[in-house]
Amino acid sequence: MSLIEFRQAKPRPIGRTNLLDKGYGLEHIKGILDTGSQFVDVVKLGWGTSLVTQNLAEKLALYRSYDVEICLGGTLFEYAYMTNKIDEFIAYVKDQGLKIIEISDGAIEIPEKEKGAIIEKLAKDFTVYSEVGSKDETVIMSPSKWVRQIKNERAAGASLVILEGRESGTSGLYRGDGEIRMGLVDDIFESGLTLADLIFEAPQKSQQVWLLKQYGANVNMGNIALEDVISLETLRLGLRADTLEVFHGGK
């Protein structure tokens, strides 16, 4: 008998862990993946770091050798949009051999219809992750707007919609102190959206624990620090005090 029943293996539709690479070196990445690559679904090369990474080809090859998918940060798309270089951006993504593309408007404003049209176009050639929510801590979107945008972007062709939280976990889905907007999350699920539609950016441990307690082990989470991949997996499996009783208390 196995001591613990592990979760579904990759590729998995839910319970995905997407890591954030802020510009790490190859040896650091290799050490993390040697330990826990089976728990890593996607790594995002944060914001525009790919453009200034001098060993990008080697980094992409390393991730692929561990069966980890890669995408570029949504802010790079926003830069391309602002500078009228979307075609160049798409060519760049294709040149890197990437299959996932992130479309966001967390730092700038893109009209909803225009963003939807971009998603629809890119979904023909890529797996599209779109992102909803602002990176500005002072911007508070109504729950109805969140729901409308998520549903519209899914309908336009986004495979998953990311709920903005930044790498700090202090905006978008969260208040400035990192507390999750519980009422907003309730409204999102009450609208009929499911775990299979969403990626929760949840860089802080307290945010990860709250999501797991509320919705179980198979919440898709993003902007997870590379160093936290094993820590998060133990939370998912109830192998840490924070979730031990939640997942095993009745057994």
Side-chain angles (χ1 to χ4, degrees), residues 21-95:
D21 182 334
K22 301 179 181 182
Y24 296 108
L26 300 183
E27 291 303 316
H28 182 71
I29 294 167
K30 187 177 187 304
I32 298 295
L33 296 181
D34 277 344
T35 305
S37 63
Q38 64 179 315
F39 309 126
V40 183
D41 296 279
V42 177
V43 167
K44 177 168 66 177
L45 305 186
W47 42 99
T49 57
S50 65
L51 293 185
V52 296
T53 298
Q54 64 185 23
N55 59 347
L56 180 61
E58 291 85 353
K59 177 176 278 194
L60 297 179
L62 178 60
Y63 280 126
R64 289 175 177 135
S65 73
Y66 284 91
D67 191 29
V68 172
E69 295 188 90
I70 311 136
C71 72
L72 306 182
T75 302
L76 187 56
F77 163 77
E78 295 181 45
Y79 164 78
Y81 177 88
M82 288 182 66
T83 56
N84 297 312
K85 293 182 178 179
I86 289 183
D87 289 343
E88 291 89 338
F89 169 73
I90 294 171
Y92 174 70
V93 174
K94 288 182 177 179
D95 286 345

